[in-house]
Amino acid sequence: MWEFKFYSRGGQGAVTAAKILINAAILEGKFGQAIPSYGQERKGAPVYTYARIADGPIDVKSYVYRPNCVICFDTGLSDLAIDITEGVRPGATLVVNTSDPGYACPAFANVTKIDADRITHETLGEVPPNVAMLGALAKATGCVSLESLTQAIQMKISGKAGEMNAKTCAAAYENA
């Protein structure tokens, strides 16, 4: 079972990303949960979101405390004393939004760096980088296929905007 913990700031689209990810898993016949954690969220405030994907029913109904995959939308969260390595399992994967090619986090066995902000801004403009992060996540983990992910995106966002968001996801997948 994949257990994900998303670290982001309010307005970056992590809650929506988790929901789209789970819809992609369901399209593939898998089971999934998207678990947002709401509190004092406002634009820029730290936000935590959790998700699970499994091939069979998921009995646990709680936040994810021991993730095997962490998705970090903003490396600046460390300036707020937020530890993205908290509880990670040995062999865990990190998907991180960074333009720093030297970014490293030794607590993770696998680190996928993606400049999701740049990719998003080039194709969509000034919108959250969530679909780009999902493309990198799919490439890094194989938890869902790119095809299911782009289909789930277009189910959530209709028309030309959905097509452009799916294109952004695919671009991030190719660049991860």
Side-chain angles (χ1 to χ4, degrees):
M1 173 168 33
W2 282 102
E3 291 192 291
F4 305 95
K5 187 167 183 181
F6 293 73
Y7 290 89
S8 67
R9 291 182 184 265
Q12 290 184 310
V15 171
T16 300
K19 291 175 183 178
I20 291 170
L21 175 66
I22 297 311
N23 286 338
I26 291 168
L27 287 171
E28 293 182 0
K30 297 177 183 176
F31 293 77
Q33 300 173 341
I35 309 160
S37 175
Y38 292 106
Q40 299 289 331
E41 282 78 14
R42 64 188 186 289
K43 188 168 182 156
V47 174
Y48 308 96
T49 305
Y50 311 90
R52 290 185 179 89
I53 295 175
D55 291 329
I58 301 169
D59 295 328
V60 63
K61 309 283 190 251
S62 69
Y63 294 149
V64 172
Y65 299 103
R66 302 271 300 143
N68 54 8
C69 185
V70 168
I71 303 92
C72 180
F73 281 57
D74 188 334
T75 58
L77 290 168
S78 63
D79 297 339
L80 302 175
I82 294 173
D83 180 9
I84 66 168
T85 67
E86 181 182 4
V88 297
R89 295 185 203 173
T93 296
L94 171 64
V95 178
V96 61
N97 179 15
T98 183
S99 60
D100 177 4
Y103 180 88
C105 194
F108 293 92
N110 304 301
V111 177
T112 296
K113 297 174 268 195
I114 186 77
D115 191 346
D117 290 325
R118 179 189 56 78
I119 291 169
T120 301
H121 294 159
E122 286 176 357
T123 57
L124 296 172
E126 294 296 319
V127 298
N130 55 351
V131 295
M133 292 298 289
L134 286 174
L137 172 63
K139 179 78 169 271
T141 65
C143 63
V144 294
S145 70
L146 177 61
E147 293 74 24
S148 296
L149 200 49
T150 56
Q151 184 180 353
I153 288 167
Q154 290 181 301
M155 288 171 60
K156 175 74 175 166
I157 307 165
S158 62
K160 182 70 172 169
E163 292 173 22
M164 293 304 294
N165 275 272
K167 179 181 175 183
T168 301
C169 178
Y173 182 93
E174 294 304 321
N175 283 286

